[in-house]
Structures are given as C-alpha cells and as structure tokens.
Amino acid sequence: MSDDRSQAGGQDHQRISLSDDYEARDWSAKYGVSEERLRAAVGKVGNMVDDVERELRGR
C-alpha cells in the first residue's frame, strides 16, 4: 500500500519505503548513492533509516 501523502510525520521519517519511485529517488539523493546501492542496503539491514545510514556510511 502506498503512503498517504496527506498524513505527515510519524513512522515515515523512521523507515525507508522503496515502493514508490519518488521515495527511492529522494532517499538515494539524500545519501548520494544510486538507487541500486540503496536497495541493496535496505535488503541487507532492513528499512530503518538509522540502520541504512550506518550501512551506507560503512559503520
């Protein structure tokens, strides 16, 4: 199910959703990585923002 853009805040800021193209593009831009690398990181550590950030930064 896609995000309801009228509902702001909460969990959306804690989790990375790759189900919508715009979200994958935005998260990739935020971290300066390709969508492929972002998807690989999410596949490895899950979709929690802190975990993905640590994986992408190599910590």
Side-chain angles (χ1 to χ4, degrees), residues 9-24:
Q11 272 187 335
D12 278 352
H13 296 292
Q14 297 174 18
R15 297 180 188 276
I16 295 177
S17 171
L18 299 177
S19 59
D20 293 316
D21 289 339
Y22 74 92
E23 288 199 41

Side-chain angles (χ1 to χ4, degrees), residues 17-54:
S17 171
L18 299 177
S19 59
D20 293 316
D21 289 339
Y22 74 92
E23 288 199 41
R25 183 183 62 243
D26 291 350
W27 283 110
S28 294
K30 175 181 172 63
Y31 292 118
V33 299
S34 67
E35 268 188 56
E36 183 177 279
R37 183 158 179 226
L38 177 69
R39 288 181 186 280
V42 170
K44 182 176 180 183
V45 300
N47 67 348
M48 297 300 292
V49 170
D50 292 341
D51 297 338
V52 172
E53 185 171 357
R54 273 192 296 276

